[in-house]
């Protein structure tokens, strides 16, 4: 969607200049050149539609969290996020936004798993990867164990208001199947996560000072916060 919008607006050349900028000053210059054409009445209307946000991977429950917390709503949230990414962080190795804008990677700006130097490692370790199609709760119920790392991405936002029971059950399974000192990493559209079950805070130590510092370097820039929890030793 970003790629088509930029092409339609005739901004593709300027966007490439932005992606290839060699300094934050140069990035800010090209971003300021592009920005007026990105934000208009149509953009505001488009981003307020639930169907548009769903296509971008933002369900209504997560959008509501943003609307409740961010002054100016989803439109202002996206504007502020993009300004941070394009003017405060180096862009030349940001393969996330390169693929959003151009529809492709380059050999020097791409995820590590696509780099030629890493191919042999991937080929030699491919047998260690197992995939499962299920909820995390169902997986842990069917595959109990002593897991050391949980990467939850942002899916807890989806359950926060509409499925609090499912959220509680997921955390019960995480705690039941975690190793002492196990790590839980997740992100949220919210600045402050207040939807976690009370029992989680009694058994998991969070490190907001550390994650706040690291979150400021997030190259995607579409989330309000990142959280790291260390599961207490029983």
């Amino acid at each position: 969607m970003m790629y088509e919008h930029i092409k339609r607006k005739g901004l593709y050349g300027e966007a490439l200049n932005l992606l290839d900028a060699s300094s934050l000053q140069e990035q800010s210059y090209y971003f300021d050149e592009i920005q007026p054409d990105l934000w208009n009445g149509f953009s505001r209307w488009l981003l307020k539609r639930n169907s548009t946000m769903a296509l971008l991977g933002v369900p209504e429950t997560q959008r509501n969290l943003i609307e409740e917390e961010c002054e100016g709503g989803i439109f202002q949230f996206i504007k502020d996020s993009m300004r941070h990414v394009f003017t405060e962080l180096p862009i030349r190795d940001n393969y996330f936004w390169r693929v959003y804008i151009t529809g492709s990677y380059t050999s020097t700006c791409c995820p590590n798993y696509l780099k030629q130097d890493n191919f042999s490692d991937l080929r030699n370790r491919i047998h260690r990867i197992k995939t499962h199609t299920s909820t995390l709760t169902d997986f842990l119920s069917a595959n109990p164990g002593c897991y050391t790392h949980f990467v939850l991405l942002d899916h807890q936002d989806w359950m926060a208001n509409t499925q609090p029971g499912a959220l509680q059950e997921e955390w019960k399974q995480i705690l039941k199947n975690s190793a002492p000192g196990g790590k839980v990493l997740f992100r949220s559209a919210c600045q402050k996560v207040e939807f976690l079950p009370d029992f989680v805070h009694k058994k998991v130590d969070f490190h907001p000072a550390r994650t706040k510092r690291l979150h400021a370097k997030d190259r995607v820039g579409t989330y309000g916060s990142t959280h790291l929890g260390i599961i207490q030793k029983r």
Side-chain angles (χ1 to χ4, degrees), residues 52-186:
T52 302
M53 300 312 298
L55 288 172
L56 293 173
V58 181
E60 185 176 359
T61 51
Q62 191 171 46
R63 179 212 172 109
N64 290 340
L65 291 174
I66 297 173
E67 294 282 3
E68 292 170 5
E69 185 175 81
C70 180
E71 184 176 353
I74 190 74
F75 185 74
Q76 191 62 45
F77 177 82
I78 292 174
K79 284 186 67 177
D80 292 343
S81 297
M82 289 186 66
R83 171 158 287 281
H84 172 70
V85 167
F86 288 115
T87 67
E88 299 179 28
L89 300 175
I91 198 67
R92 294 197 72 177
D93 65 346
N94 191 332
Y95 55 81
F96 301 101
W97 278 95
R98 177 171 287 276
V99 77
Y100 297 158
I101 291 173
T102 69
S104 62
Y105 299 117
T106 68
S107 60
T108 57
C109 187
C110 64
N112 285 335
Y113 62 82
L114 291 180
K115 293 182 178 178
Q116 186 173 357
D117 290 345
N118 298 325
F119 178 74
S120 61
D121 286 339
L122 288 173
R123 181 176 56 188
N124 294 333
R125 300 177 186 180
I126 191 70
H127 65 281
R128 299 170 61 179
I129 298 175
K130 297 180 180 179
T131 60
H132 300 265
T133 303
S134 72
T135 65
L136 179 58
T137 299
D138 288 344
F139 170 81
L140 292 174
S141 297
N143 302 272
C146 194
Y147 298 97
T148 58
H149 292 75
F150 297 85
V151 180
L152 306 182
L153 301 181
D154 63 325
H155 79 270
Q156 292 182 97
D157 281 2
W158 311 347
M159 300 187 290
N161 294 325
T162 59
Q163 296 180 301
L167 184 64
Q168 289 190 28
E169 185 57 33
E170 178 174 284
W171 273 100
K172 288 178 181 177
Q173 286 295 330
I174 289 173
L175 295 173
K176 181 180 178 180
N177 291 282
S178 62
K183 297 178 175 61
V184 183
L185 182 69
F186 66 94

